Amino acid sequence: MVNAPAVVAPVPAVYAAPVIPLRDTIPSSRVPVVNYTIIAANVAVFLHEATLGPRSEAFLFTYGLVPREFMVTTLFTSMFVHAGWLHVLGNMLYLYIFGDNVEDRLGHIRYVVFYLLCGAAAGATHALTAVHSGVPVVGASGAIAGVSGAYFLFFPTSRVVTLVPIFLFVQIIEIPAVFFLGFWFIMQFFAGTAALATSANGGGIAFWAHIGGFVIGMILVTMFPRKDRPGYDYAPRY
């Protein structure tokens, strides 16, 4: 297990609220090979981290984004590095749910470029809000926030099938994607604003990476030619 006591990890909504998304209601029209490849790459890197033992912290500082030692290369390497099993599994769950449809709409090559640009923009946003921090930021959720921003625009009629604990019971309900992702973004914004007010630059959650990724994703996706697919104006249930 990676031992990283001092790290900022962009973390998806599964850690911010007691709900777990299971899937969406929009099927892809083709196999999302790029999304699967990105997921496999993240898992492979983490499995490598898990073999490093005491050297894992040095790995995080080498490939994570350290704002006060800013390097363009780590904007990209940091999005493939994670700080723990829950971190990588939570991020990959979100990418699995939302990434396939965005890839389907953009096409494989455009999706690769879009994903990497969103991740880099998310890391840069964090660096700008914590310029003096010596703590590495790692994780894919800045890029995944960008994918979520694109999904928010592309699929307003979709629903997210979600596991929700209600008192002593667990319910599976469908939440409109615009509410699920919109609420997530609002929570990130308020938490990020509070972090700025308290000058919180230590280990924890990089809220502004989430915010930057989501907003940049919404902006960038309007600049990419997209491949419209039949049936996306509907929310089939299955």
Side-chain angles (χ1 to χ4, degrees), residues 17-234:
V19 299
I20 301 176
L22 301 176
R23 59 178 173 84
D24 67 343
T25 58
I26 300 285
S28 297
S29 64
R30 57 183 169 178
V31 178
V33 292
V34 172
N35 207 52
Y36 288 162
T37 300
I38 293 172
I39 291 172
N42 276 275
V43 173
V45 171
F46 183 75
L47 291 176
H48 171 68
E49 291 177 59
T51 69
L52 296 178
R55 295 175 293 162
S56 62
E57 189 167 346
F59 184 89
L60 294 174
F61 274 87
T62 300
Y63 296 104
L65 173 66
V66 181
R68 74 181 181 197
E69 299 171 6
F70 182 85
M71 294 189 294
V72 173
T73 54
T74 58
L75 285 176
F76 297 95
T77 59
S78 61
M79 70 179 80
F80 292 94
V81 180
H82 289 83
W85 288 103
L86 286 178
H87 188 202
V88 68
L89 292 177
N91 276 336
M92 294 308 101
L93 173 63
Y94 269 63
L95 185 57
Y96 175 78
I97 293 172
F98 300 113
D100 61 334
N101 299 112
V102 177
E103 179 182 347
D104 205 20
R105 180 63 69 92
L106 292 178
H108 302 311
I109 302 302
R110 296 183 187 90
Y111 181 67
V112 172
V113 176
F114 173 77
Y115 182 89
L116 293 175
L117 288 178
C118 285
T125 303
H126 171 76
L128 288 172
T129 60
V131 291
H132 301 297
S133 175
V135 180
V137 58
V138 299
S141 63
I144 297 168
V147 172
S148 300
Y151 191 100
F152 183 84
L153 290 182
F154 279 162
F155 310 108
T157 61
S158 177
R159 293 178 174 83
V160 181
V161 180
T162 308
L163 192 67
V164 180
I166 301 176
F167 299 108
L168 299 178
F169 302 96
V170 175
Q171 300 289 329
I172 295 179
I173 63 175
E174 291 185 3
I175 302 174
V178 290
F179 292 148
F180 186 93
L181 295 174
F183 179 75
W184 176 86
F185 178 78
I186 291 170
M187 293 297 292
Q188 303 305 301
F189 181 79
F190 280 114
T193 302
L196 285 180
T198 58
S199 300
N201 290 328
I205 300 175
F207 295 109
W208 284 96
H210 296 170
I211 296 165
F214 193 91
V215 172
I216 292 297
M218 293 181 69
I219 295 172
L220 277 180
V221 81
T222 64
M223 303 177 183
F224 278 69
R226 68 191 195 190
K227 298 184 177 182
D228 292 319
R229 299 291 173 187
Y232 275 166
D233 291 332
Y234 304 92

